[in-house]
């Protein structure tokens, strides 16, 4: 009988997974996950995503906004067609959250109820962002913002060429 020692087999330690490379899938997954969290807030307020964007745009302008300017802003930002934006505006107007100026029916402003709802959504959105982005280093957030801003600009340039 041989007394040759047998080699001990130890399981290999699995390598740590490589950090993901930023690509459309990673960005898309982050977008859809955070959008789903926001949609829960919007559902509680009875507001659609497009309506919330319209309310935010009008509130952010600080003054009445031209309907065509709002439509252009939303179609550019959301990559949706005019009819979807006009439908959101009509819904907000019908529900008493937006109104046209009495002297200029092409300009829109928030009603008092629209201002309250807009503030509620902005506050809720800020709370969501605070939870989701907490503990992330400021330098990482700044780098991500630079990268995503560049990618967005390049995609918009390609869309403009078509």
């Amino acid at each position: 009988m041989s007394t040759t020692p047998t080699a001990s087999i130890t399981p290999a330690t699995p390598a740590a997974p490589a950090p993901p490379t930023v690509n459309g899938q990673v960005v898309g997954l982050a977008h859809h996950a955070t959008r789903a969290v926001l949609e829960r807030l919007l559902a509680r307020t009875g507001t659609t995503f497009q309506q919330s964007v319209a309310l935010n745009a009008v509130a952010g302008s600080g003054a009445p906004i031209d309907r065509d300017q709002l439509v252009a802003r939303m179609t550019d930002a959301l990559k949706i067609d005019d009819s979807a934006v006009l439908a959101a505006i009509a819904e907000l107007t019908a529900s008493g959250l937006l109104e046209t100026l009495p002297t200029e029916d092409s300009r829109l402003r928030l009603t008092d109820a629209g201002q309250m709802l807009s503030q509620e959504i902005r506050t809720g959105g800020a709370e969501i962002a605070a939870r989701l982005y907490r503990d992330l280093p400021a330098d990482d957030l700044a780098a991500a913002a630079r990268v995503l801003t560049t990618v967005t600009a390049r995609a918009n340039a390609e869309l403009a060429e078509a």
Side-chain angles (χ1 to χ4, degrees):
M1 197 172 232
S2 170
T3 60
T4 309
T6 57
S8 171
I9 300 176
T10 58
T13 304
T21 300
V22 174
N23 59 35
Q25 182 179 14
V26 170
V27 172
L29 290 171
H31 163 76
H32 290 296
T34 56
R35 168 90 179 257
V37 175
L38 177 62
E39 290 284 357
R40 291 193 318 199
L41 166 67
L42 296 176
R44 289 193 303 267
T45 66
T47 311
T48 68
F49 181 72
Q50 284 86 0
Q51 291 171 344
S52 73
V53 172
L55 288 170
N56 190 49
V58 176
S61 70
I65 187 170
D66 184 77
R67 179 187 316 272
D68 291 340
Q69 181 184 12
L70 178 59
V71 170
R73 225 168 125 179
M74 288 182 62
T75 57
D76 182 58
L78 299 179
K79 310 301 184 238
I80 58 177
D81 61 28
D82 290 5
S83 64
V85 177
L86 291 169
I89 292 170
E91 293 159 359
L92 291 168
T93 303
S95 63
L97 299 168
L98 272 183
E99 63 186 4
T100 58
L101 294 181
T103 58
E104 299 177 70
D105 64 352
S106 67
R107 297 186 59 77
L108 300 164
R109 67 179 172 203
L110 294 174
T111 63
D112 289 343
Q115 287 175 356
M116 288 175 41
L117 178 59
S118 176
Q119 183 59 47
E120 179 183 347
I121 292 169
R122 279 184 285 155
T123 299
E127 290 168 356
I128 290 167
R131 288 192 309 272
L132 299 180
Y133 292 96
R134 75 174 177 270
D135 302 332
L136 295 176
D139 289 346
D140 289 355
L141 293 172
R146 285 191 305 274
V147 168
L148 294 174
T149 299
T150 300
V151 170
T152 300
R154 290 176 181 171
N156 284 335
E158 283 199 26
L159 290 169
E161 291 175 7

